[in-house]
Amino acid sequence: MKTKIMYIENKSFGHYGPAWIGFVEFSKSGQTLYFNDKALKKLKRPEYVANYFDIETGEEYWVSGVKKNGQNRHQFGGGKIMLDKNSVDEYLKLVDFNSIDVNHFEIVEFITMDKRRFNTIENSKTEYRDNSYHATFYDNNRRKLILDI
């Protein structure tokens, strides 16, 4: 599995949702990424605000590469970005500044995860409830993902 430094923003709160920058790990297929005890799967029909969803909660996320100018937040959004302490050096190599601005970033430590939990979720049988174009998100079989909560 390959790792890469990425920008991740929870879009459930609009442009002011929690956001992170740090190393993510991609699945072999590249359809799922893992970070901070979350598993995000690519949306089958990405929207302009979200391109991944959390397989546990269904919350939608925007995931992209890190912008070299440091302007990862949407122009109408705001809030501090949580920067994983293990990726600070790599992040500074990618952007056009020499230090972390504490007005825009909060240094955190990503939680390590047990991927077996996500394998159980992804391998559980899903139900057909909405196979329409308007369904919010789909699993790999193009069925709407139903979470057993």
Side-chain angles (χ1 to χ4, degrees):
M1 294 195 193
K2 77 175 188 180
T3 60
K4 188 175 179 181
I5 193 167
M6 302 292 285
Y7 172 76
I8 304 111
E9 184 177 332
N10 185 323
K11 299 310 277 183
S12 301
F13 304 92
H15 298 306
Y16 291 90
W20 302 263
I21 290 177
F23 287 108
V24 302
E25 189 175 328
F26 288 89
S27 65
K28 288 181 191 176
S29 68
Q31 297 298 304
T32 306
L33 65 85
Y34 305 95
F35 91 102
N36 203 27
D37 203 33
K38 296 182 185 308
L40 306 181
K41 192 169 202 84
K42 272 189 179 178
L43 284 166
K44 289 291 184 185
R45 298 185 193 274
E47 303 167 11
Y48 68 96
V49 293
N51 54 2
Y52 282 80
F53 69 94
D54 185 317
I55 67 169
E56 288 185 295
T57 66
E59 292 179 313
E60 294 182 338
Y61 287 78
W62 178 259
V63 178
S64 66
V66 174
K67 293 184 180 175
K68 292 186 187 279
N69 65 5
Q71 301 297 315
N72 291 287
R73 284 277 192 188
H74 188 276
Q75 65 180 347
F76 300 117
K80 284 189 176 185
I81 297 172
M82 291 171 270
L83 180 60
D84 179 36
K85 75 176 193 170
N86 297 313
S87 62
V88 171
D89 292 339
E90 184 70 23
Y91 178 69
L92 287 173
K93 288 178 190 175
L94 292 171
V95 294
D96 290 336
F97 36 91
N98 299 321
S99 62
I100 301 300
D101 182 351
V102 295
N103 293 320
H104 294 95
F105 295 95
E106 179 181 340
I107 306 297
V108 299
E109 185 171 5
F110 281 4
I111 301 167
T112 55
M113 62 188 83
D114 178 10
K115 288 187 209 154
R116 291 176 296 184
R117 183 174 94 233
F118 304 122
N119 288 336
T120 302
I121 293 168
E122 289 203 287
N123 291 320
S124 64
K125 187 175 180 178
T126 53
E127 302 173 28
Y128 279 105
R129 291 218 184 140
D130 185 352
N131 200 22
S132 74
Y133 175 80
H134 300 291
T136 307
F137 47 82
Y138 298 87
D139 68 0
N140 280 337
N141 298 317
R142 299 203 36 81
R143 294 176 286 186
K144 186 171 182 182
L145 183 64
I146 305 300
L147 302 172
D148 297 323
I149 297 178

